[in-house]
């Protein structure tokens, strides 16, 4: 039976094509959508290897009685922040959707960085600005108090200077 399948495939005439692909990005994952209208799930293969390469390929007859077949083969290098063991594929209504989740470590690091950026820096910046305003107010009050005391002391000394000596 295998021999017959091999004989059948050796008589095929292949027409290679490049399917339309679209990348989507959701929080924590990337999604590759491949337009494969006319294909059946059984005619498709999605594989990953230990070198971080995602392989997508498939073939189908162009018509039931024809020796002509359509086929495609795509290889995509998976980014280092992807959890290769968590890759999932789904084929529905002629669209092959491949979900490439980010690894937990990468997602956690990104979440921590986002939190630090929005809260820590935000809090630190607000604290810094508040402290600068408070120090400015304290400096103005201190300067005002100093000037007021200087004026008060000057008036006190001036009062002694205006005293007339009385002859005895």
């Amino acid at each position: 039976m295998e021999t017959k399948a091999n004989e059948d495939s050796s008589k095929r005439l292949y027409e290679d094509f490049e399917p339309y692909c679209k990348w989507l990005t959701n929080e924590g994952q990337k999604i590759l959508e491949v337009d494969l209208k006319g294909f059946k799930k059984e005619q498709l293969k999605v594989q990953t290897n230990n070198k971080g390469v995602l392989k997508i390929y498939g073939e189908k007859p162009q018509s039931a009685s024809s020796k002509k077949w359509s086929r495609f083969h795509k290889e995509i290098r998976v980014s280092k922040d992807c959890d290769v063991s968590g890759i999932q594929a789904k084929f529905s209504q002629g669209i092959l959707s491949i979900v490439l989740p980010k690894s937990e470590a990468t997602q956690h690091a990104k979440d921590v960085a986002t939190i630090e950026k929005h809260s820590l820096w935000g809090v630190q910046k607000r604290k810094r600005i508040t402290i600068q305003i408070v120090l400015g107010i304290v400096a103005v009050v201190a300067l005002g108090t100093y000037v007021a005391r200087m004026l008060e002391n000057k008036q006190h000394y001036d009062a002694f200077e205006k005293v007339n000596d009385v002859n005895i």
Side-chain angles (χ1 to χ4, degrees):
M1 187 143 61
E2 256 183 86
T3 313
K4 187 173 182 178
N6 285 339
E7 287 175 14
D8 288 344
S9 66
S10 66
K11 294 178 186 176
R12 293 178 184 166
L13 298 172
Y14 287 102
E15 183 179 300
D16 293 330
F17 74 100
E18 184 73 24
Y20 174 75
C21 298
K22 175 171 68 172
W23 282 100
L24 305 170
T25 304
N26 286 345
E27 209 163 302
Q29 63 188 12
K30 291 181 181 177
I31 301 170
L32 175 62
E33 289 186 348
V34 185
D35 187 359
L36 296 168
K37 289 184 179 42
F39 276 84
K40 296 177 183 172
K41 182 178 177 180
E42 302 79 35
Q43 298 168 329
L44 303 172
K45 285 259 190 211
V46 178
Q47 298 176 329
T48 58
N49 65 20
N50 60 356
K51 295 180 180 177
V53 176
L54 173 69
K55 294 181 182 184
I56 310 162
Y57 52 95
E59 58 182 39
K60 69 173 180 110
Q62 288 184 354
S63 67
S65 62
S66 174
K67 290 183 183 180
K68 290 184 178 181
W69 284 60
S70 294
R71 70 179 176 186
F72 73 96
H73 181 92
K74 291 190 77 59
E75 289 190 9
I76 300 166
R77 180 158 299 279
V78 177
S79 64
K80 292 183 181 188
D81 66 346
C82 177
D83 177 13
V84 177
S85 64
I87 293 176
Q88 296 178 347
K90 176 184 168 187
F91 186 66
S92 176
Q93 299 177 354
I95 302 293
L96 175 64
S97 298
I98 303 169
V99 178
L100 297 102
K102 290 186 180 176
S103 66
E104 290 295 323
T106 303
Q107 187 62 35
H108 178 69
K110 183 179 176 185
D111 291 345
V112 167
T114 302
I115 289 169
E116 286 177 354
K117 179 181 176 186
H118 292 319
S119 64
L120 270 179
W121 278 106
V123 169
Q124 287 179 352
K125 189 174 182 179
R126 284 191 301 262
K127 281 184 179 179
R128 194 175 333 120
I129 290 171
T130 303
I131 290 171
Q132 288 173 344
I133 291 171
V134 168
L135 287 175
I137 291 170
V138 167
V140 168
V141 169
L143 182 63
T145 304
Y146 174 77
V147 169
R149 286 193 179 173
M150 290 301 290
L151 289 174
E152 200 175 286
N153 285 340
K154 185 175 181 197
Q155 288 174 353
H156 182 70
Y157 289 123
D158 287 346
F160 283 114
E161 289 179 11
K162 291 185 181 180
V163 173
N164 292 330
D165 288 337
V166 178
N167 289 332
I168 303 181

